[in-house]
Amino acid sequence: MKTGKLDIHNVSIAYGEKKALQGITFEIQDKEILAVIGPANSGKTSLLRTLNRLNENKSGFKISGSIHLDGVDIYKDIAVSSLRKRIGMIFALPNPLPLSIYDNIAYGPRMHGKRKKSDLDQIVEKTLKSAFLWDEVKDRLNLQALKLSGGQQQRLCIARTLAVEPEVILYDEPCSGLDPISTAKVEEAMVELKSVYTQILVTNNTKQAARVSDRTAFFLTGELIEIDVTEKIFTVPNDPRTEGYVSGRFG
Amino acid sequence: MNFLKHRWNDIVEYVMEKVIFLAGIISIAFVVLIFIFLLKEGLSLFKTYSPFSFLFGLSWYPISHPPKFGVVPLFLGSIVVTLGAILIAVPLGVGAAIYIAEVAPRWLREILKGLVEFLAAIPSIVLGFIGLVTLVPIVKEVFGLPTGLTALSGAIMLAFMAMPTIVSIMEDALTAVPESYRAGAVALGATKWQMIWRVLLPAASSGILAAIMLGIGRVIGETMAVMMITGNAARIPTSITQPVRTMTATIAAEMGEAVQGSEHYFALFGIGILLFCITFLINFTASFFIKRKR
Amino acid sequence: MSSRALLTEKIAFFCLLLCTLIIVIPVILITAVIVKNGIAGLSWEFLTQSPRLGMRAGGIFPAIVGTVYLVLGTMLFALPVGILAAVYLTEYAKDNWLTRVIDIAIVNLAGVPSVVYGLFGLGLFVVFLKFGASIIAGSLTLAIMSLPVIITASREALNTVPQSFREVSLALGATRWQTIRHVVLPNSISGIVTGTILALSRAAGETAPILFTVAAFYLPRLPQSLFDQCMALPYHLYVLSTQVPNIKPHIQYGTALVLVLMIMIMNIVAIVIRSHFRKKKLW
């Protein structure tokens, strides 16, 4: 069996009676950027939160099917904290903790047992550079992170996620609250990170999907309609519903 | 090394989860324990004394021969004092809450709220002491009574003590009424008072009921102040200007002398069970009203 | 608007003002009376000496110390259990029947009369566990009385921490306890501390729960161990105002003033902590 970085096999999830995903099967290749698009309530965000098990504390959460990360079942054979260390997540709204810039980035490594100041210094610098934020904040690392602009905060969140050295990064509409310039910077960072990380981008912005992703998956009411090379999805999709969505006729 | 670190995190996680769960269980265990201990001691009375005579007996003579443990006079004592207190406290408290929440200018509002909170913080023993030296002589003088230690003094005192509860819950209820209600009424040309009377009060009615219930709960459980100024006569009250004795005061006053394991001792626990049940019922009703408000 | 409606409004507002004054003026008067008469009784000797001559002279030192011991004892027990129980209920408990039962129990326990807690303390700690009337029995009784208040206040504080803080921490691979320890508690501690101090200040002024569990009528020496009885300010005031004939009022008022001051100081500390953290709060 050919396997990708993440194998999603026949996954259905529900919150109580409400079904969110139905029989989803696809795989995510190593170091690709996969865009997940679809209208509201299509199950995009549910998919992301299922991949790092952030869903499971919700009341009534049920899952069937299986998800494998490098061949390991993430719901059975791995501790949830080590899974989340390997699969990082960027949220829709920038959500720095009420700590300094430095402490925000050092938070993850510290939780995983890194305490040495020199190690942490190095991590902070490296990740801020990767997120294109270093030059803007290098002189004020002790500043409250909440005092940064929205775009800076979101790049800080990316740096913070990189600091725990994940293999996969999930983005949940990461630019929904940002202006075009900040959005461009976040996208620039994503493309730059491609050489190292597998990235999954949930977005409402089809143009953004077209700009940054290698492949695109289209979801509708909890079902995977189509997944293919991005260019093909946006030019000659197989399914008329996909075409309707990407051409802006609904959604 | 890293492996060890992870093991350590797992162990801490496991232990903390158990400790936290234990704390949750302890808190519920105490509810059960409180009830069990009250029951265990209280029900022992009925090995030697009939429950009927306890609940419906008209006299409480714990040290006569044979002793009588009829709880009716004490129950009525509590009721008289509580009713009196509520009759005084509810109109005043509701009025004050409306004034503070809706009428008073902002600067005055903060001062008034501060004073009410201050009243809530004064220990009941201090209020009891002040009542004893100021209120009791006044009641005696004004009503020309042989003693000022009466149900009336107790009711006035308790009304005062219930005030912070009533005012603050009532205030919450008023502020919870959506702004659009007010705007709507005022836009129709109603005066502010008409708006308060016709719109706010009906909208906040559940809150008023909750305030009354919790006020009763506060008053019926009050012990020290009542013991000091109601005169402590365990008789069936016929007038509000007579001395009475409440259930709480009976426990506080007599437990010191009751011999452990005696009928008297068990009877006092019996009163405790009654009080526990009454307040539980009152609070339960109040939380029902509070929920309905939301 | 008719002039009649306006007149009605004037009268109504006047009545409301009257209600407020009937409540508020006595508060001011009571404060004034306690302060004025109490200050006359306050002196260094009053605060640092034991009562003499059947409590008609001397000071209230043992009662002050006793109350401090009881408050500390209450805190030692109620604080950890209360906070952890609140953490359990907000962070761990699933929304099921058990949680709802605990919820109802806590709300209702807060309304159980303090004298009933006294009975419970007598039955469990003094008699059943054979602690006798002692500081430990009194502290535990006060602690159990304070638990519901501490739990409720702590839960409110924990609930003010945005859910997104928790999710971020978890998403970075922190465990649940790490998240609570490093994110949730630091951001709610001010509310928890404030609520706890207020609960303790209430416990400090309670008389009924300590009546049969610890309070000594007259005990001029200081307690030597947890299993000793002690004097306490609220009970001492009760004794002074009902059991000691021909006592000078300034001793009674002095005692009342010291008790009220102690409680006010605790309240002020709570308020200062709250406003200090509110200013620093960014979210």
Side-chain angles (χ1 to χ4, degrees):
Chain A
M1 194 170 100
K2 185 182 84 69
T3 55
K5 182 75 184 168
L6 271 165
D7 275 305
I8 298 163
H9 184 72
N10 198 20
V11 166
S12 299
I13 67 166
Y15 309 106
E17 293 303 300
K18 195 172 156 282
K19 292 194 173 76
L21 287 177
Q22 294 176 46
I24 305 297
T25 301
F26 69 100
E27 63 200 36
I28 296 153
Q29 307 299 338
D30 197 21
K31 298 190 176 57
E32 74 168 332
I33 298 182
L34 173 76
V36 178
I37 59 171
N41 292 324
S42 56
K44 303 172 304 216
T45 298
S46 281
L47 173 72
L48 282 198
R49 289 171 162 263
T50 305
L51 293 181
N52 69 352
R53 292 176 58 179
L54 215 47
N55 261 344
E56 62 190 12
N57 294 328
K58 288 203 176 158
S59 64
F61 175 72
K62 281 193 297 272
I63 180 165
S64 64
S66 66
I67 302 172
H68 288 82
L69 172 66
D70 287 336
V72 178
D73 189 324
I74 66 165
Y75 276 83
K76 291 203 181 101
D77 300 328
I78 188 167
V80 65
S81 55
S82 17
L83 169 76
R84 291 185 186 137
K85 185 177 178 302
R86 292 172 66 185
I87 302 186
M89 180 156 184
I90 310 294
F91 294 81
L93 294 173
N95 52 359
L97 295 168
L99 303 168
S100 70
I101 295 173
Y102 186 98
D103 289 335
N104 258 284
I105 295 176
Y107 180 84
R110 278 177 178 147
M111 292 305 111
H112 298 292
K114 280 210 176 68
R115 304 261 169 217
K116 236 168 86 188
K117 179 90 171 74
S118 57
D119 289 353
L120 292 173
D121 286 347
Q122 215 177 356
I123 292 173
V124 169
E125 178 169 349
K126 191 174 132 222
T127 55
L128 280 173
K129 278 178 174 160
S130 305
F132 296 104
L133 191 58
W134 175 251
D135 291 335
E136 292 163 53
V137 301
K138 65 180 176 213
D139 303 322
R140 39 179 185 151
L141 292 175
N142 289 320
L143 183 78
Q144 260 295 332
L146 290 159
K147 293 197 170 143
L148 294 172
S149 75
Q152 289 173 325
Q153 285 188 16
Q154 195 60 304
R155 277 177 284 146
L156 173 68
C157 292
I158 295 177
R160 183 175 62 185
T161 301
L162 299 179
V164 297
E165 299 171 336
E167 297 155 34
V168 181
I169 304 176
L170 314 171
Y171 299 85
D172 185 6
E173 302 176 25
C175 301
S176 53
L178 302 185
D179 60 87
I181 296 172
S182 305
T183 301
K185 285 193 174 163
V186 170
E187 288 176 7
E188 190 185 354
M190 290 179 69
V191 174
E192 198 70 26
L193 295 171
K194 235 185 94 165
S195 55
V196 192
Y197 304 96
T198 305
Q199 300 176 80
I200 305 174
L201 166 68
V202 159
T203 178
N204 275 327
N205 180 342
T206 49
K207 292 202 186 77
Q208 182 174 51
R211 277 196 301 268
V212 299
S213 67
D214 303 307
R215 291 197 304 155
T216 297
F218 173 60
F219 275 72
L220 188 62
T221 58
E223 284 175 75
L224 172 63
I225 305 298
E226 189 170 356
I227 176 167
D228 214 324
V229 175
T230 298
E231 218 177 84
K232 186 156 176 290
I233 292 280
F234 281 91
T235 49
V236 281
N238 284 328
D239 196 292
R241 289 171 291 182
T242 313
E243 193 190 355
Y245 182 75
V246 298
S247 62
R249 277 205 290 278
F250 75 95
Chain B
M1 166 63 203
N2 220 339
F3 171 77
L4 278 178
K5 195 79 216 172
H6 270 234
R7 290 293 309 164
W8 176 243
N9 272 353
D10 288 345
I11 293 167
V12 171
E13 183 73 11
Y14 180 81
V15 171
M16 282 318 295
E17 193 156 329
K18 293 294 171 246
V19 168
I20 288 169
F21 182 69
L22 192 71
I25 291 299
I26 287 180
S27 57
I28 181 97
F30 276 119
V31 189
V32 181
L33 268 184
I34 287 178
F35 201 63
I36 288 179
F37 265 87
L38 291 179
L39 278 185
K40 174 172 138 340
E41 305 286 49
L43 294 184
S44 301
L45 174 68
F46 303 136
K47 286 181 206 150
T48 53
Y49 197 83
S50 103
F52 187 84
S53 321
F54 175 71
L55 285 175
F56 302 104
L58 299 183
S59 30
W60 178 268
Y61 299 131
I63 41 178
S64 66
H65 292 283
K68 287 186 178 168
F69 300 110
V71 89
V72 171
L74 313 176
F75 182 74
L76 289 180
S78 283
I79 295 294
V80 166
V81 178
T82 304
L83 266 185
I86 288 303
L87 285 178
I88 303 169
V90 167
L92 286 178
V94 170
I98 298 173
Y99 186 80
I100 292 173
E102 302 293 330
V103 184
R106 181 180 282 272
W107 62 270
L108 183 58
R109 182 182 311 166
E110 294 309 314
I111 295 175
L112 293 174
K113 277 173 100 163
L115 283 169
V116 173
E117 273 170 36
F118 179 69
L119 173 59
I122 302 178
S124 73
I125 187 78
V126 173
L127 291 175
F129 163 64
I130 297 290
L132 190 64
V133 291
T134 57
L135 179 66
V136 168
I138 294 176
V139 168
K140 179 180 174 197
E141 198 65 27
V142 170
F143 294 88
L145 301 170
T147 169
L149 300 167
T150 59
L152 179 64
S153 319
I156 296 174
M157 196 70 237
L158 285 178
F160 202 54
M161 297 171 81
M163 229 55 107
T165 310
I166 295 178
V167 171
S168 73
I169 292 173
M170 186 60 210
E171 225 192 294
D172 286 349
L174 287 173
T175 30
V177 176
E179 200 51 44
S180 58
Y181 284 37
R182 289 161 228 255
V186 174
L188 291 171
T191 62
K192 195 167 184 185
W193 169 244
Q194 286 168 330
M195 184 273 287
I196 292 171
W197 185 248
R198 304 231 177 99
V199 179
L200 276 192
L201 283 183
S205 59
S206 300
I208 300 178
L209 290 174
I212 295 173
M213 294 312 288
L214 289 176
I216 293 177
R218 172 83 180 80
V219 166
I220 211 163
E222 175 48 47
T223 310
M224 299 314 287
V226 172
M227 179 157 77
M228 289 162 83
I229 63 177
T230 53
N232 280 327
R235 291 193 305 243
I236 292 182
T238 51
S239 147
I240 193 152
T241 51
Q242 281 180 348
V244 295
R245 165 176 273 187
T246 64
M247 295 191 285
T248 50
T250 307
I251 299 175
E254 294 178 7
M255 191 48 99
E257 279 106 59
V259 180
Q260 260 168 38
S262 66
E263 265 190 337
H264 188 192
Y265 176 87
F266 294 136
L268 294 175
F269 272 90
I271 300 176
I273 299 178
L274 268 181
L275 269 174
F276 186 88
C277 295
I278 292 171
T279 47
F280 217 95
L281 213 65
I282 289 170
N283 283 294
F284 203 75
T285 325
S287 52
F288 169 76
F289 285 129
I290 290 176
K291 277 217 183 78
R292 205 178 65 177
K293 188 181 80 189
R294 295 211 175 108
Chain C
M1 282 175 227
S2 69
S3 61
R4 222 189 110 198
L6 285 175
L7 183 66
T8 317
E9 180 174 81
K10 270 217 173 92
I11 295 170
F13 282 5
F14 178 73
C15 292
L16 295 180
L17 175 64
L18 217 58
C19 290
T20 315
L21 291 180
I22 292 175
I23 298 174
V24 166
I25 288 178
V27 179
I28 298 170
L29 286 180
I30 289 174
T31 318
V33 166
I34 296 177
V35 171
K36 183 174 154 282
N37 295 315
I39 281 185
L42 283 196
S43 65
W44 183 245
E45 288 70 37
F46 187 70
L47 295 175
T48 56
Q49 289 185 359
S50 293
R52 283 177 288 118
L53 303 176
M55 294 182 260
R56 290 182 186 82
I60 54 168
F61 184 59
I64 298 177
V65 171
T67 291
V68 169
Y69 281 166
L70 288 177
V71 170
L72 289 180
T74 305
M75 184 172 77
L76 237 52
F77 178 73
L79 194 62
V81 176
I83 294 179
L84 290 178
V87 167
Y88 171 73
L89 288 168
T90 32
E91 309 291 327
Y92 286 90
K94 301 222 163 59
D95 186 19
N96 57 22
W97 65 269
L98 181 67
T99 310
R100 278 194 287 274
V101 169
I102 296 180
D103 263 347
I104 293 171
I106 287 173
V107 169
N108 287 293
L109 268 189
V112 171
S114 57
V115 71
V116 174
Y117 281 103
L119 277 183
F120 168 63
L122 174 68
L124 177 59
F125 302 123
V126 177
V127 177
F128 186 76
L129 296 177
K130 301 200 170 62
F131 290 164
S134 59
I135 294 180
I136 188 166
S139 302
L140 285 168
T141 307
L142 287 173
I144 286 165
M145 188 194 77
S146 311
L147 263 183
V149 189
I150 293 179
I151 293 176
T152 310
S154 302
R155 284 180 80 180
E156 270 168 27
L158 292 170
N159 279 329
T160 60
V161 178
Q163 200 55 34
S164 71
F165 287 8
R166 296 182 178 86
E167 288 198 331
V168 162
S169 173
L170 292 174
L172 288 168
T175 62
R176 208 128 61 126
W177 169 244
Q178 284 179 321
T179 302
I180 292 166
R181 162 79 182 72
H182 295 281
V183 174
V184 180
L185 285 180
N187 286 297
S188 54
I189 197 70
S190 69
I192 293 176
V193 170
T194 310
T196 305
I197 296 178
L198 292 178
L200 289 178
S201 83
R202 215 191 83 183
E206 277 289 353
T207 317
I210 60 172
L211 219 45
F212 352 105
T213 54
V214 52
F217 184 81
Y218 177 66
L219 191 73
R221 64 179 175 81
L222 296 182
Q224 305 297 309
S225 89
L226 279 178
F227 294 94
D228 276 1
Q229 276 190 292
C230 67
M231 295 182 80
L233 280 174
Y235 183 61
H236 191 57
L237 178 57
Y238 171 69
V239 169
L240 292 183
S241 47
T242 56
Q243 322 269 316
V244 187
N246 304 323
I247 187 173
K248 291 199 194 82
H250 70 80
I251 294 184
Q252 300 171 320
Y253 280 107
T255 309
L257 180 60
V258 171
L259 178 58
V260 170
L261 278 180
M262 233 166 127
I263 286 165
M264 286 312 130
I265 289 171
M266 293 173 84
N267 276 267
I268 289 168
V269 168
I271 291 168
V272 167
I273 290 176
R274 186 167 55 193
S275 61
H276 174 73
F277 276 90
R278 252 191 213 152
K279 256 182 242 150
K280 266 179 42 183
K281 190 160 139 176
L282 293 155
W283 36 274

